[in-house]
């Protein structure tokens, strides 16, 4: 894996839009609108041989006529033009490109893709795609492509082989105010792949978690190595599409690659320290959790509940996922003894009995999170007729300032 020139891709000082247009409803026009409508402060240069001006901006006829070498080029022209454009960009000094263009499947498409890679190689020009929707870096206002929204900045990176999944996640997150550090439509990954991006993001201080939508991994050894390294300091969560034979066939038609046996991916994720989810609902839940929760120091969990059965089920689920039930310290037990009724469980899970009201929950939270042997606290509430569940939830929220970032 290599992160060479990925800074030009992800933090460009200037961007050239190849195939820019003023024709409403086209990808080229949407690219121009996205780049002009965001907060991107770098230089934006337009290229299209059939235009001299687009929305009041000078449009250059070709790459050679650009006033300076762009850090990043975004290309939305027919696939047969790509090898020549990439060669011209490399000769001009450009070091990264997002290839929006599709049309690289089949024997002829594969030959075009190879020619594009060979044109890039002498110049060390990195390629994202082809067949991708957008590259978004909200922190710098970069929306390089035709995604319909630019989300706010955050600390989650999302990498997906499906552009439709990227735009779906953007749409879902926008309604919830969830931000991202990076969103990449990876496309066919002719050059930049998941491993390269994981290696880059492992060292990015603005990213605390990485979400992956995977259809196929081209180089398993490279991916596992990068994922294991990244997972040491970041939360890595993956959803793998094409788990069954019918889905794998659809993957082959989508990305032009074989999906591979699902059991192999399962083992690879486990070995690399990647948490696997199985549907978009779980991916969305993971995104929301990561966006709202602070960093967790370890896997020692305390469970606070008003029902013994639900606490036992939560314990089983924790152990199944490789977590550990925290050992509550004697000082914490002593503090809880003074706050809770005599029948509380005096262990973990912390069962505070079925009639627990909001005040009892609130009283139990601070001693638990103050215990150095506890990395995180899971609060569960089973509805009863003697205590108001909404009041319990409000009490948990009230306790948040007392426990700060550990919540």
């Amino acid at each position: 894996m290599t992160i060479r020139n990925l800074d030009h891709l992800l933090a460009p000082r200037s961007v050239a839009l190849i195939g820019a247009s003023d024709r409403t409803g086209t990808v080229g026009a949407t690219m121009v609108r996205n780049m002009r409508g965001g907060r991107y402060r770098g230089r934006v240069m337009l290229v299209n041989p059939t235009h001299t001006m687009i929305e009041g901006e000078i449009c250059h006829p070709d790459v050679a006529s650009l006033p300076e070498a762009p850090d990043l080029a975004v290309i939305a022209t027919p696939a047969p033009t790509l090898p020549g454009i990439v060669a011209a960009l490399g000769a001009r000094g450009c070091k990264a490109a997002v290839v929006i263009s599709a049309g690289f499947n089949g024997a002829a498409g594969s030959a075009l893709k190879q020619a594009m890679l060979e044109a890039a190689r002498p110049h060390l020009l990195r390629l994202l795609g082809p067949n991708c929707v957008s590259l978004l870096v909200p922190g710098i206002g970069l929306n390089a492509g035709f995604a319909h929204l630019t989300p706010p900045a955050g600390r989650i990176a999302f990498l997906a082989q499906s552009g439709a999944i990227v735009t779906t996640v953007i749409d879902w997150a926008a309604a919830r105010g969830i931000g991202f550090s990076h969103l990449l439509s990876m496309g066919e990954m002719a050059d930049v792949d998941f491993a390269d991006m994981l290696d880059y993001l492992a060292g990015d201080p603005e990213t605390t978690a990485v979400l992956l939508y995977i259809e196929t991994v081209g180089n398993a050894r490279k991916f596992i190595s990068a994922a294991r390294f990244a997972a040491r300091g970041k939360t890595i969560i993956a959803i793998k599409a094409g788990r069954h034979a019918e889905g794998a066939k659809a993957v082959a038609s989508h990305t032009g690659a074989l999906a591979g046996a699902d059991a192999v991916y399962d083992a690879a994720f486990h070995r690399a320290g990647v948490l696997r989810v199985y549907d978009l609902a779980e991916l969305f839940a993971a995104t929301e959790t990561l966006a709202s929760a602070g960093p967790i120091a370890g896997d020692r969990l305390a469970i606070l509940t008003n029902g013994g059965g639900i606490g036992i089920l939560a314990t089983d689920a924790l152990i199944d996922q490789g977590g550990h039930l925290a050992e509550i310290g004697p000082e914490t037990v002593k503090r809880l003894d003074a706050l809770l009724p005599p029948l509380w469980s005096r262990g973990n899970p912390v069962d505070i009995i079925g009639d627990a009201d909001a005040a009892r929950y609130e009283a139990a939270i601070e001693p638990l999170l103050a215990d150095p042997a506890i990395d995180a606290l899971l609060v569960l509430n089973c509805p009863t007729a003697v205590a108001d569940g909404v009041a319990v939830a409000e009490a948990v929220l009230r306790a948040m300032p007392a426990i700060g970032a550990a919540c």
Side-chain angles (χ1 to χ4, degrees), residues 190-202:
D191 174 26
V192 177
D193 60 14
F194 286 122
D196 296 326
M197 283 305 306
L198 284 170
D199 203 37
Y200 180 91
L201 292 170

Side-chain angles (χ1 to χ4, degrees), residues 280-300:
L280 284 180
E282 289 186 338
L283 186 67
F284 289 152
T287 305
E288 197 158 24
T289 300
L290 291 169
S292 59
I296 297 175
D299 62 358
R300 301 170 300 175

Side-chain angles (χ1 to χ4, degrees), residues 205-284:
E206 300 304 316
T207 301
T208 58
V210 184
L211 305 178
L212 307 172
Y213 168 85
I214 297 174
E215 292 183 357
T216 182
V217 170
N219 186 322
R221 187 183 299 274
K222 178 183 175 184
F223 173 81
I224 292 172
S225 177
R228 289 181 72 179
F229 177 71
R232 293 173 187 168
K234 318 279 182 178
T235 300
I236 314 294
I237 298 176
I239 179 171
K240 169 66 178 69
R243 294 187 292 117
H244 303 294
E246 294 83 354
K249 184 177 180 181
V251 167
S253 66
H254 185 208
T255 64
L258 296 177
D262 189 63
V264 175
Y265 281 91
D266 211 37
F269 293 151
H270 180 75
R271 180 176 178 184
V274 175
L275 175 64
R276 184 175 188 178
V277 296
Y278 289 89
D279 56 40
L280 284 180
E282 289 186 338
L283 186 67
F284 289 152

